[in-house]
Amino acid sequence: MIIGSNNIESHNEGLLKKHQNKLVFTASEIDNTEAIIQKLIDFQIAIPSWALGTGGTRFGRFAGGGEPRSIEEKIEDVGLLHKLNNASGAISLHIPWDIPQDYKAIKALAAQHNLKFDAMNSNTFQDQASSEHTYKYGSLQNVNKAVRKQAIAHNIEVIKHGIELGSQSLTIWLADGSNFPGQLNFRKAYQNTLESLEEIYDALPADWKLFLEYKCAEPNFYSTTVADWGQSYSYVKKLGDKAQTLVDLGHHLPNANIEQIVSLLLMENKLGGFHFNDSKYGDDDLTAGALKPFQLFLIFNELVEGMDARGMNHAKDLGWMIDASHNIKDPLEDLLQSVEAIMIAYAQALSVDRKALEKAQEENDVVKAQEILQNAFRTDVRALVAEARLRSGAALNPVELYRSLSVRKNLIGERGLKTLATGL
Ligand code: LRH
Ligand code: MN
């Protein structure tokens, strides 16, 4: 299904007056409105290829119909999102769930939808029918050198796919760990993992990055070999400048101060990027900003502060990706909501009066400092996010247009009700 610019224009016409009134009011509340709008226009969030179908849990999966059956249809779906919000300009592939058969054709199709290929994701947490060795007891940590060799070869194969597609980064998430005390020698598991990562690191092209994603638990429930920011940092510090830590918001122990972790990794120039989502209990992979919007704002507040302190380019110098799983919502509507929530948190962080905040902090004026941050969080910046879309040819209200065009009904018409997308 293709959404035409005429669909966007007629949708925006109906909403323009109300939008302009809100924009005028918002601009009267926030100083650097124009600069914020430009930064929002430049900010692109990569969409995970594995989150375009219905996700599930071990207790069940309720497919919604019209799911993409191939990498081509996944690119079309991300193209739909990008047409609606002009803020989803990249797709992040997961191998072997999305092995490109014809690089040239896939690149041409992505270009047709103004999409780039963001980080490639390897998968050494599932056995493939063709696999000689099992990852039951881990991959890069495995006591068996042949298993580690297989996992290293897979990651190098993923890099090769990425080079052909124009990607410039590899995300490694390791399910490796143990379920019971005594099962694993932590020191040997660390050494095996480091040596294996070094072989993968050596296979990286000069202009590539390796993102090492940490996770506190699941699928292992006693120890995880890359369990937190500190362990990931210790690996990427040893690997070299091309290796950095990836922060998946759902991968922390309860009450972890993620914004402080972000601040430190940025200071150490070891923050590679994000997997945005939200959660209340575990790795729930829910819509970004749906449960803890203030935490998402605080994370962007540290990002703006830390990136400006290093003179970094907000749009280009970090990996901005969503990693979510849609068990009960239309995957495309859920992704539109996640992009919106991320844009709102970024705009709020850009509206913080940094000079006044610094002054309050230097004077230990705690109340003043709090008031400055809470004022930014309580300021409605949605008109700025919508204006950025309007100026870049997208829809003022993407979810509303998605529904009024009955996109899901059309996709079911094209693909059928029972289609299942590859992924989790
Ligand atoms: C692990 C994870 C990782 C992906 C997977 C789909 O929980 O966050 O980023 O490989 O989800
Ligand atoms: Mn993730």
Side-chain angles (χ1 to χ4, degrees), residues 50 94 97 121 125 173 213 215 248 251 275 283 323 424:
W50 61 92
H94 217 298
W97 294 335
N121 298 266
F125 50 87
W173 168 66
E213 181 179 2
K215 182 174 181 180
D248 183 313
H251 288 188
H275 278 180
D283 187 20
D323 181 1
L424 280 183

Side-chain angles (χ1 to χ4, degrees), residues 248-251 275-279 283 285-289 296 323-324:
D248 183 313
L249 301 193
H251 288 188
H275 278 180
F276 291 113
N277 48 55
D278 210 340
S279 53
D283 187 20
D285 279 342
L286 299 172
T287 320
L296 188 60
D323 181 1

Side-chain angles (χ1 to χ4, degrees), residues 171-240:
T171 294
I172 299 179
W173 168 66
L174 300 171
D176 294 20
S178 64
N179 268 330
F180 300 96
Q183 173 187 341
L184 198 63
N185 177 307
F186 294 145
R187 186 175 46 73
K188 288 183 184 165
Y190 184 97
Q191 284 306 335
N192 288 342
T193 301
L194 180 60
E195 283 158 24
S196 304
L197 286 170
E198 281 164 350
E199 284 193 49
I200 297 167
Y201 186 88
D202 295 344
L204 286 176
D207 61 351
W208 270 54
K209 284 271 193 316
L210 183 159
F211 298 146
L212 186 59
E213 181 179 2
Y214 58 87
K215 182 174 181 180
C216 55
E218 190 208 32
N220 278 295
F221 297 107
Y222 171 62
S223 77
T224 296
T225 301
V226 187
D228 61 27
W229 73 270
Q231 293 176 35
S232 174
Y233 177 78
S234 73
Y235 286 109
V236 297
K237 191 78 177 165
K238 291 187 179 74
L239 289 172

